[in-house]
Amino acid sequence: MEIKKLVDTYRPAVNRDVGNKPTRGGSASEASTQQSDRVTLSAGAQTLRTALVAAQADSGVRTERVEQLRQQVETNTYQMNSRRTAEKIVEHENSLWERQA
């Protein structure tokens, strides 16, 4: 089963692509000249959409650093700083508790 077919099954008939069928008693040419519905986004929604697109475009992965660490792990030269790791874990945990308060 294709997903498209499943979606079309549950989509209302008025939203389906039905070709040039007339709408409720009118001819096909009358249907094409009627005004269609429009949606406009508020300024806040447009800003949110712009931010979302920007966030999706930037993965936040520092590829140079990842490659450097990968090479260190492969050559057995990577040295972990346990103290710094523990500090970062505590910082992260504290930030989670601060958000909930």
Side-chain angles (χ1 to χ4, degrees), residues 31-74:
S32 64
T33 59
Q34 290 180 352
Q35 249 184 347
S36 60
D37 293 337
R38 288 187 351 195
V39 174
T40 56
L41 299 177
S42 68
Q46 289 174 355
T47 302
L48 180 60
R49 183 173 185 275
T50 302
L52 180 61
V53 168
Q56 289 173 340
D58 181 23
S59 67
V61 175
R62 298 181 298 170
T63 55
E64 294 169 358
R65 179 71 174 139
V66 170
E67 181 61 27
Q68 180 186 29
L69 291 172
R70 185 185 64 76
Q71 288 177 356
Q72 288 177 357
V73 169
E74 285 180 356

Side-chain angles (χ1 to χ4, degrees), residues 59-99:
S59 67
V61 175
R62 298 181 298 170
T63 55
E64 294 169 358
R65 179 71 174 139
V66 170
E67 181 61 27
Q68 180 186 29
L69 291 172
R70 185 185 64 76
Q71 288 177 356
Q72 288 177 357
V73 169
E74 285 180 356
T75 59
N76 254 357
T77 58
Y78 176 73
Q79 294 182 4
M80 188 174 99
N81 184 338
S82 302
R83 182 176 191 87
R84 185 164 184 232
T85 302
E87 288 171 354
K88 290 294 181 179
I89 290 172
V90 170
E91 282 178 27
H92 180 69
E93 288 293 321
N94 285 339
S95 71
L96 292 176
W97 283 105
E98 288 172 1
R99 287 185 212 164

